[in-house]
Structure formats: C-alpha cells, structure tokens
Amino acid sequence: MSGRGKTKKSPTGPAQRVQPGLEPGCAKSLVRDKNGSIGGCHAVMDTKDMQQIPEENKPKKHKQPKCTTEGKPTVPPETGSRIVDSHLDKILRTTLDKLKIKMTHKSDSSRIVNDVVNCISDHMKKFTECFKDVNVLRTGSYYEHLKISDPDEFDVMFNFAMERVDIRPFGDDGAFYSVAFKRGKHALDRFQNTDNTVSASEMLKEFRNEVITSVKKRKDVSVEKKKKGCPAVTLMINRTGTVPISLDIVLGLKVKSCWPTFTQEGFKIDTWLGTKVKKELKAQSYYLVPKYEGKGTVELEGVCAKDTWRISFSHVEKSIITNHGSQKTCCEASGIRCCRKDCLKLLKHLLNLLKAEDPRLSKFCTYHAKTTLLHACCSRTKDSDWEATQLGPCFQQLLRDFEGHLKDGKLPNFFIPTHNLLGSGHNHKSCLILAQCIEEQRNNGFPIFG
C-alpha cells in the first residue's frame, strides 16, 4: 500500500519519492532526471525512465470517452494504490462554497428580470401584429440551477409556433436549416423571401426594433450593440442595490414535427436516463434560432447563410440537467447525492478564469463544458459513478474528458454528432493551449482556485 511521503524502491534503479496527493496519471511530473532533481509539469520521460517506474505509477494514456455507452470509462475505485487527496477535495469544496449565490440575490435578480420580460412580452402582444403570438421559454444556466458567482446573466427565448413548414438542412453538419412555409397564410408572411423561405436576418431585425421600443422608456435598461451572428437582443439592467444583469432576449421558432434525421445517432441517453425518458423527450418540439457561422453572404441552393436558422434543444438540456439521475431519487433526501452539477460548476469556473488570463481562449464558452458533461454522463451512467464523496476523482476525470476533446479538436454536438463544436471558429492551436492549461492546473492542485 502506498503511503504519504513513503519511499518506493524501483526494481531496476534507485529509490524514488512520490509526492502525496497526485494521481497516477500525473506521475510524469515527479520523475527524477539524471542529476537527481524532480522535473516540473513539462518533464519528459525516456523509455528507460518509464521502465523504472512501478506499473501503478506509470502515466496513463488518455482515452477519449465515447459518446455511446460502449466501453464506458469509469472513475477508478479507491484502493491502496490510490488515496483520495483530502487537500484537493478541500480546495474544490471551498471553491464551490465561494461560487454559491445567496438566495436573496437570486430572488432579487429573478424578480427584476421577470419584470423586464413581462414588459417586452406585453408590448409584443398588444402593439405588434407579427409577434403577437409570442411564447416565453426560460432556459440557460440560471434556470438549470448551474449559475455561479452572481445571478448576472439570464437567457429567455421569445418563440413562435410553426406548423406546416418545410425544414431543409443548410450545409452537411446538420446544425443549420432553412425554413419555408408550405401553404396558407401566416403571421410571419412579411419575412418571406421569393422562394418562400423565412428570412432570419429580416425577422431578427424587426424583432430587435420591437424589443428596443418596448424598453425605451425604462431608465434602468440599455440595449447592447448588435453582435454578428448572434440570435439575441442583449439588454443590460442596472438597478441600485443589485449587480448589473445581462439579459439575452433570443428570437426562436418552435417547430412541431419530428426531430431532423441528423439527430438519429445523437442524444445517447438510453442507459443513463432510460429509453422511456428518451422517447418522451424526442416527442417534444425543437427550436430554431437565427444564427449562422462564417460569412453571412455565403449561398447554398439559393439560400443565404444570414437567413438560416440553427437548431436548439435548450429545453431538453434543461430537462435532463434538472432530472439528471439514473435513479429518480438522485440528489433527493432518500437517495444518493451526486456531484454531476458540482463538477460542471467547477469546470465552468476554471474555464472562465483561464479565459481571463489568456485572450487566445476567448472563443471557448461554457457550452463546451456543458456538452462535455452530457457526453460524460452517457459514458458513466450510474449515480454511484458520480457520488458526492468522490468529487475530486470525478472532477479530474471530467477534465481528462475535456482535454481529450480539445487535443482531438472534436467535441460532437450532444444531439447532432456530425456537428463539431470545436470546428468553425476554433483553431487547433487554441484547443491545445487550453488542454495544456487545464492539465497543468490539474497536475498542480488548481492554484488558480486559490
């Protein structure tokens, strides 16, 4: 059994001291060089060095977690050769405590946001013709109980139900679509192009104007400058006694039909949440938001990129994150408490801190972290794989998952595996930089959390 600060004898060389609290995968940081000194995180081991290290301390090769449940990677059990680092566990739990939001702050921010949202919704229903049938869908980290630090960001989708429409893929990755009316009159007819497709750019432009009109008399609300390719109208709410709040009002189309064929190989929750839950969720509508990638002037089959829509399953994400256990009692008083959400909060916090230190990482967002967790939940499906008492090992494994995606330059959309979230807009160099930053933090006990 390995102990703290004990000396291990190598079968073919001098005795080596192993630093307590680090995982076997980090053993490369502790190999002595020819001068007898210990190398840092970037120390390199040659073949001879590798042969001198006991099998249990050899660095393990990262295995990319599959998006299916075949060959599920599991969190290594606690044995004599692997002692849970209590110091690391203390760091992670202290960090989580710092990230907690006070209930009074939550309720104050929620009340303020609801006030603005109701103001916009009332305006749309009373003073517009094309947007009078609006429905409000609250999504995002706040409503999934994943918000950290401050209740300062909210996402609300203003969506419109679409029936008898023709949805066609734009490009070959399955994430973007054109929308055309089949027949009959529609409230959104004014946004039709000559080929009957609905112009995302024109509809978003009109929607933005109406949102601005609805809040122009409010002194506590200002409108942010429009961002290229962004499907939202971003409002900043400043009230005395509260933190500034960023509110994204997202335009969306609710499509009442079967999910596109591109989703057939995705959404692998069968052995995690069950086939019944999967069937119920897939029976729900999906949403389209006016977002495109690259240049908006690119045309495919007569459709301009700026007039296309990106598919969204934010409502499904909210459902499975909220009800995330393989057992219904997960995280309830009578069940096992898991650390899935805590791991995601820590990963989001780590990513935000690293982005603040290095502008080269600006393209990465918390949705990459969320997608990594969803894939991990489909690989490690049992609640016992995510026990709250195993926060340290579970978080380390989730980071290794993310590092694997970054090094490969591939993070499949959870619902549409043909859509790579690390594709357009992300160069491989920045992915490797982020992977290295995360690995260094992991190997050194997360000094950035200090």
Side-chain angles (χ1 to χ4, degrees):
M1 177 177 289
S2 62
R4 290 187 176 274
K6 290 189 178 180
T7 301
K8 292 192 176 183
K9 291 185 179 180
S10 169
T12 59
Q16 298 174 344
R17 179 172 290 277
V18 178
Q19 181 175 316
L22 292 181
E23 297 182 54
C26 301
K28 64 180 181 182
S29 300
L30 304 171
V31 177
R32 295 182 182 273
D33 61 22
K34 294 179 180 179
N35 297 321
S37 61
I38 296 178
C41 286
H42 302 292
V44 179
M45 292 182 286
D46 57 25
T47 307
K48 185 177 179 181
D49 292 327
M50 287 290 291
Q51 293 172 348
Q52 294 177 354
I53 301 175
E55 281 297 319
E56 69 269 24
N57 283 341
K58 283 188 179 179
K60 296 181 181 179
K61 213 171 186 180
H62 171 77
K63 291 185 179 180
Q64 180 76 355
K66 295 183 179 180
C67 296
T68 66
T69 54
E70 299 174 1
K72 297 183 291 185
T74 57
V75 177
E78 183 180 352
T79 64
S81 62
R82 191 184 191 288
I83 300 176
V84 176
D85 190 341
S86 59
H87 180 60
L88 173 60
D89 193 65
K90 183 179 179 180
I91 291 173
L92 298 181
R93 296 196 182 282
T94 300
T95 302
L96 284 170
D97 286 339
K98 293 178 182 177
L99 297 177
K100 286 182 180 178
I101 304 173
K102 293 182 179 179
M103 289 302 297
T104 53
H105 293 174
K106 279 185 179 181
S107 59
D108 288 345
S109 294
S110 180
R111 175 177 48 80
I112 292 170
V113 167
N114 288 338
D115 182 36
V116 175
V117 168
N118 290 338
C119 174
I120 299 171
S121 178
D122 289 343
H123 171 84
M124 296 291 183
K125 293 178 179 179
K126 293 178 182 179
F127 302 107
T128 71
E129 186 62 31
C130 52
F131 299 134
K132 66 181 180 180
D133 297 324
V134 66
N135 296 296
V136 175
L137 177 68
R138 291 169 169 81
T139 59
S141 60
Y142 177 84
Y143 300 104
E144 294 166 348
H145 306 291
L146 290 170
K147 194 74 186 74
I148 57 177
S149 300
D150 289 303
D152 57 355
E153 293 181 350
F154 290 77
D155 300 292
V156 178
M157 183 188 292
F158 279 50
N159 63 89
F160 306 88
M162 305 288 286
E163 297 180 0
R164 300 190 305 277
V165 290
D166 183 18
I167 309 295
R168 296 187 180 183
F170 182 88
D172 55 7
D173 64 4
F176 300 89
Y177 295 83
S178 64
V179 180
F181 295 123
K182 289 184 176 180
R183 58 184 177 273
K185 291 185 177 182
H186 301 267
L188 304 177
D189 281 347
R190 61 185 294 179
F191 304 116
Q192 277 185 293
N193 293 316
T194 54
D195 59 355
N196 290 334
T197 58
V198 180
S199 172
S201 60
E202 288 300 316
M203 187 172 174
L204 179 58
K205 181 180 178 181
E206 182 73 15
F207 179 75
R208 179 181 177 83
N209 290 337
E210 293 296 344
V211 172
I212 293 174
T213 300
S214 68
V215 298
K216 68 180 181 181
K217 293 182 180 180
R218 300 183 68 106
K219 294 181 179 180
D220 58 338
V221 179
S222 59
V223 183
E224 294 286 280
K225 185 178 179 181
K226 186 180 184 302
K227 297 176 183 178
K228 180 183 177 183
C230 179
V233 183
T234 303
L235 306 177
M236 287 301 300
I237 308 173
N238 290 279
R239 287 194 183 180
T240 305
T242 64
V243 296
I245 299 172
S246 174
L247 171 60
D248 275 354
I249 304 295
V250 182
L251 170 65
L253 303 179
K254 182 179 181 180
V255 182
K256 298 180 179 180
S257 69
C258 296
W259 291 11
T261 55
F262 282 95
T263 63
Q264 289 179 358
E265 297 302 318
F267 196 45
K268 299 287 188 179
I269 66 169
D270 306 67
T271 57
W272 169 27
L273 301 176
T275 54
K276 181 181 179 181
V277 172
K278 180 177 181 178
K279 185 177 179 180
E280 290 173 350
L281 292 173
K282 291 202 72 171
Q284 295 184 17
S285 304
Y286 60 91
Y287 294 84
L288 296 168
V289 297
K291 184 176 178 63
Y292 63 90
E293 287 184 346
K295 294 183 178 180
T297 54
V298 174
E299 285 192 18
L300 288 176
E301 298 181 1
V303 179
C304 198
K306 67 179 182 179
D307 287 331
T308 58
W309 305 75
R310 192 178 73 176
I311 198 165
S312 170
F313 295 98
S314 56
H315 60 307
V316 178
E317 292 169 10
K318 178 181 176 182
S319 178
I320 60 180
I321 288 291
T322 303
N323 305 289
H324 54 260
S326 58
Q327 299 294 321
K328 290 183 179 181
T329 56
C330 180
C331 290
E332 293 182 358
S334 59
I336 298 174
R337 177 171 173 75
C338 81
C339 63
R340 291 179 178 94
K341 284 188 174 184
D342 285 344
C343 285
L344 180 52
K345 288 178 181 179
L346 289 168
L347 179 50
K348 288 171 62 176
H349 183 51
L350 176 60
L351 180 58
N352 288 337
L353 292 175
L354 292 174
K355 286 173 63 177
E357 288 189 347
D358 193 336
R360 293 174 297 179
L361 307 179
S362 61
K363 293 287 186 179
F364 297 98
C365 63
T366 54
Y367 191 70
H368 294 122
K370 182 180 182 180
T371 301
T372 300
L373 176 75
L374 293 175
H375 285 308
C377 288
C378 290
S379 296
R380 303 182 284 282
T381 59
K382 297 179 181 178
D383 296 338
S384 57
D385 293 331
W386 299 88
E387 282 192 32
T389 56
Q390 294 294 309
L391 175 63
C394 289
F395 182 52
Q396 291 270 9
Q397 180 60 53
L398 184 64
L399 291 183
R400 285 192 287 268
D401 293 345
F402 194 26
E403 290 168 33
H405 291 303
L406 291 166
K407 290 174 182 178
D408 289 346
K410 294 180 181 178
L411 178 58
N413 183 308
F414 185 64
F415 300 90
I416 307 171
T418 49
H419 179 218
N420 180 17
L421 297 179
L422 296 177
S424 178
H426 296 83
N427 61 65
H428 196 220
K429 183 179 178 180
S430 64
C431 290
L432 294 178
I433 290 172
L434 179 55
Q436 182 182 21
C437 289
I438 292 175
E439 185 175 8
E440 288 180 354
Q441 288 293 323
R442 185 165 56 80
N443 289 345
N444 288 282
F446 305 99
I448 202 168
F449 287 163

